[in-house]
Amino acid sequence: MGNSTTSIGRIISVSVGWMLWVILGAAAFDFGAQEIPLFNEMDVSISSPSPSVSGLFVLGDSSVDCGANTLFYPLLHRTLSLLPCNGSDASLLPQLLAARMGFKNMSTFYLQNGTIREMVSGIIFGSAQATIMNLPSSQTHQSLNQQLRQAFETLQLLHLQLGPHDAQRIIESSIFYLSFGKEDYLNHNFSNLNRYTAQQFAHILVDQMTVAIKNLYNANGRKFICMGVLPLGCAPRTMWERQSMDYMTNYDTIYCIEDVNQLVLEYNKLLEQRITDLNRELTNVQITFCDVYEGIMQIIINPESYGFEDAKSACCGNGWRGGRVGCESMKMACPMESSHVWWDFYNPTHAVNSLLADSAWSGHPFPNLCRPMSVQDLASSSP
């Protein structure tokens, strides 16, 4: 009963915060910044911890959000996992990279207080279970298009409050972080892609990602990080589902379902190629692709070399490999989270994300994780 009360209280808090943001935002549009002290330009110093990066704007799915930015997530979560990020958004890759840029305690769209200072330093628009494609279930979270609308509203507020010159300078020197695709494959249950071939489905997703990048570019975005999808074929839930359907195969010695990983690789390969094309096509743009799939696979292939003991089972979950029931309570978690590659059904542990963040930033321990440049190089480059 205590957990239900806490969840409902969090939902009410998020909803009230969002309603206040809408009211105050609308007031700013109607009456101007001088009548709304919340948006007072005098309150903001247009500077950033990283000299060449004004802010970090994050769009994505559960790889960037633990549910705090997803209204009613505790009641509507699909995977029965209330703690997809070890209970902390700070364990996720974009937040770890933000800390390396000097940004701490980034605000989510629904929990921000609406100040210019928050908007200038960046906002997390990402939503757990968010998809690239608009699906009937998208009423419970923000799809790619919905997050883009929220991002454009935020950029418009910057223009209104700071003026076109300062707003453009901030937007051009900010980084836009996009991490999508994972939930699209989960929603289609991998092998249930009856309407499309693997190539057709990947093309549909990458085409929409390309349009999103171009729209942000037209809004003066010049620096982008695009994340690939992790190896979902190795995730505990994927393994449990396949094992429960196929009793003739001994899955105890198998680390990954290759046909599922091939679907993910089709998307990653096409997305990276499209990013290469966009870097040539668009003027003064810098887009880097980060291959989290390859990084996690290196850990899974040789976990002991990176300090991990278990590359198969979820730290928090029940059933074979922790894939039958999701992480509903911290009491279900293993004693040593840092020894596991997987935290729950589909999410890596903080320890894995830390290695990926180090590699994305500086190329160690996984060289060229981000291509054609590291996140550190992207952050230090001039727009």
Side-chain angles (χ1 to χ4, degrees):
M1 183 66 181
N3 289 339
S4 299
T5 303
T6 301
S7 298
I8 293 171
R10 188 169 76 123
I11 292 168
I12 293 172
S13 174
V14 171
S15 301
V16 170
W18 164 235
M19 286 188 290
L20 285 174
W21 192 95
V22 171
I23 292 169
L24 291 169
F29 275 114
D30 290 341
F31 302 110
Q34 292 183 349
E35 297 185 34
I36 306 294
L38 184 65
F39 293 114
N40 193 332
E41 183 179 347
M42 298 302 293
D43 292 338
V44 62
S45 173
I46 307 174
S47 61
S48 70
S50 181
S52 298
V53 181
S54 295
L56 181 65
F57 295 96
V58 179
L59 297 84
D61 49 31
S62 58
S63 60
V64 307
D65 172 48
C66 291
N69 202 39
T70 304
L71 294 178
F72 309 113
Y73 177 77
L75 298 181
L76 299 174
H77 58 86
R78 178 174 54 80
T79 58
L80 301 179
S81 186
L82 289 172
L83 301 166
C85 315
N86 200 2
S88 170
D89 286 319
S91 67
L92 295 178
L93 195 49
Q95 286 85 344
L96 293 171
L97 288 173
R100 285 160 175 77
M101 298 178 201
F103 300 109
K104 301 184 184 299
N105 302 318
M106 292 181 64
S107 299
T108 60
F109 182 73
Y110 285 129
L111 295 182
Q112 63 174 313
N113 61 25
T115 64
I116 288 293
R117 188 181 301 277
E118 276 188 319
M119 287 186 280
V120 165
S121 62
I123 291 175
I124 299 172
F125 302 97
S127 169
Q129 302 183 17
T131 54
I132 298 172
M133 301 177 70
N134 286 318
L135 301 172
S137 61
S138 62
Q139 287 83 4
T140 63
H141 58 259
Q142 292 74 253
S143 66
L144 169 60
N145 284 337
Q146 290 170 310
Q147 291 183 40
L148 284 173
R149 285 195 291 269
Q150 293 169 353
F152 293 142
E153 289 170 4
T154 301
L155 300 183
Q156 287 172 353
L157 281 174
L158 289 178
H159 275 273
L160 285 172
Q161 300 305 314
L162 301 180
H165 176 74
D166 284 339
Q168 180 174 340
R169 181 163 59 87
I170 288 170
I171 295 167
E172 287 183 348
S173 61
S174 293
I175 291 178
F176 292 84
Y177 181 110
L178 293 92
S179 181
F180 288 93
K182 169 185 171 185
E183 301 294 338
D184 291 271
Y185 283 100
L186 296 182
N187 273 314
H188 282 80
N189 199 25
F190 305 119
S191 60
N192 192 30
L193 299 173
N194 297 323
R195 295 176 55 191
Y196 314 102
T197 66
Q199 294 80 7
Q200 288 172 335
F201 192 63
H203 269 279
I204 290 170
L205 299 181
V206 172
D207 284 348
Q208 294 191 50
M209 288 293 291
T210 302
V211 171
I213 293 170
K214 286 185 175 180
N215 285 338
L216 289 168
Y217 174 83
N218 290 334
N220 293 319
R222 294 295 180 266
K223 296 183 177 185
F224 297 88
I225 300 171
C226 287
M227 310 301 295
V229 176
L230 50 73
L232 294 172
C234 310
R237 180 67 173 187
T238 305
M239 295 299 301
W240 178 84
E241 288 176 344
R242 187 61 62 92
Q243 183 264 352
S244 65
M245 293 187 296
D246 180 11
Y247 295 103
M248 302 299 293
T249 303
N250 179 13
Y251 283 92
D252 288 332
T253 59
I254 298 175
Y255 277 84
C256 306
I257 306 299
E258 289 305 318
D259 58 284
V260 172
N261 278 347
Q262 285 303 313
L263 291 171
V264 171
L265 282 171
E266 193 73 37
Y267 169 82
N268 287 347
K269 179 181 177 181
L270 185 58
L271 179 62
E272 183 175 11
Q273 180 57 56
R274 196 67 61 84
I275 287 170
T276 300
D277 295 340
L278 288 172
N279 275 323
R280 294 178 183 143
E281 174 188 340
L282 302 177
T283 304
N284 296 328
V285 75
Q286 295 171 310
I287 312 172
T288 192
F289 169 80
C290 293
D291 194 354
V292 293
Y293 179 101
E294 181 60 30
I296 293 178
M297 284 305 300
Q298 289 193 43
I299 297 172
I300 290 174
I301 291 169
N302 196 3
E304 294 82 5
S305 297
Y306 301 99
F308 297 95
E309 298 176 6
D310 191 332
K312 297 179 180 178
S313 302
C315 172
C316 193
N318 277 337
W320 185 73
R321 293 200 181 178
R324 183 177 66 85
V325 178
C327 184
E328 296 179 323
S329 167
M330 287 297 291
K331 294 179 180 179
M332 298 170 61
C334 61
M336 286 286 292
E337 173 263 346
S338 60
S339 67
H340 280 64
V341 172
W342 298 100
W343 167 248
D344 63 357
F345 280 170
Y346 299 112
N347 297 289
T349 58
H350 186 175
V352 170
N353 281 333
S354 293
L355 287 176
L356 294 175
D358 288 339
S359 301
W361 183 254
S362 63
H364 180 79
F366 309 125
N368 299 317
L369 185 82
C370 297
R371 306 181 286 268
M373 67 180 72
S374 69
V375 173
Q376 184 177 26
D377 289 340
L378 178 68
S380 61
S381 65
S382 300

